[in-house]
Amino acid sequence: MEDHKNCSHSHGAGQPAEADCCDSTQPRKSHHSQEMKSSLVNRLNRIEGQIRGVKGLIEKDVYCDDVLNQIAAIQSALNGVGKLLLEGHMKSCVVERIMEGDREVLDELLITVNKLMR
């Protein structure tokens, strides 16, 4: 984690900078609605089932092209989860941190987007 001695976040009155997001010992949390969490978990449960299905196909010696097509479907489904999560992240976490004066979030976001686009 980076040194946040010159933290530009706004902290509550009387609250030391170390007490919130600048405290490297406390993990950051997201702000997803229960509906968003349920949607993400449901999608991931389906993907988990697809992965188990591919494992079964391999165990049954199913034709490689059929297995590869199932893997492509799983990758597409994971990309969908990533897009949904990225949209929520940008509309909440990123906007909030920018409004607090934290421009480092943009570099963090660019690194994450580059990872997602590999």
Side-chain angles (χ1 to χ4, degrees):
M1 209 66 173
E2 297 176 24
D3 185 9
H4 290 280
K5 289 179 185 169
N6 298 318
C7 179
S8 60
H9 298 283
S10 359
H11 302 282
Q15 182 182 23
E18 298 80 33
D20 68 2
C21 61
C22 294
D23 183 354
S24 61
T25 63
Q26 293 184 358
R28 291 184 295 220
K29 300 249 181 173
S30 63
H31 311 286
H32 301 298
S33 67
Q34 194 57 46
E35 182 180 346
M36 172 66 93
K37 285 183 200 178
S38 293
S39 175
L40 291 169
V41 168
N42 287 337
R43 286 172 177 243
L44 290 169
N45 285 338
R46 284 194 301 272
I47 292 167
E48 185 178 21
Q50 287 177 295
I51 291 170
R52 280 193 302 273
V54 166
K55 181 180 174 187
L57 295 176
I58 290 171
E59 290 171 343
K60 295 175 187 171
D61 293 321
V62 171
Y63 185 61
C64 296
D65 192 59
D66 295 336
V67 176
L68 291 168
N69 283 317
Q70 289 300 311
I71 290 171
I74 293 167
Q75 288 173 327
S76 178
L78 274 174
N79 287 339
V81 170
K83 288 176 188 175
L84 190 60
L85 195 54
L86 179 62
E87 179 182 346
H89 179 57
M90 290 175 71
K91 288 181 176 179
S92 62
C93 305
V94 173
V95 169
E96 286 173 17
R97 286 178 60 189
I98 289 173
M99 291 177 73
E100 291 171 355
D102 179 3
R103 297 187 55 89
E104 288 179 18
V105 70
L106 295 175
D107 292 329
E108 176 186 283
L109 179 62
L110 289 172
I111 290 167
T112 299
V113 168
N114 281 327
K115 288 178 185 176
L116 286 170
M117 295 178 73
R118 289 184 187 160

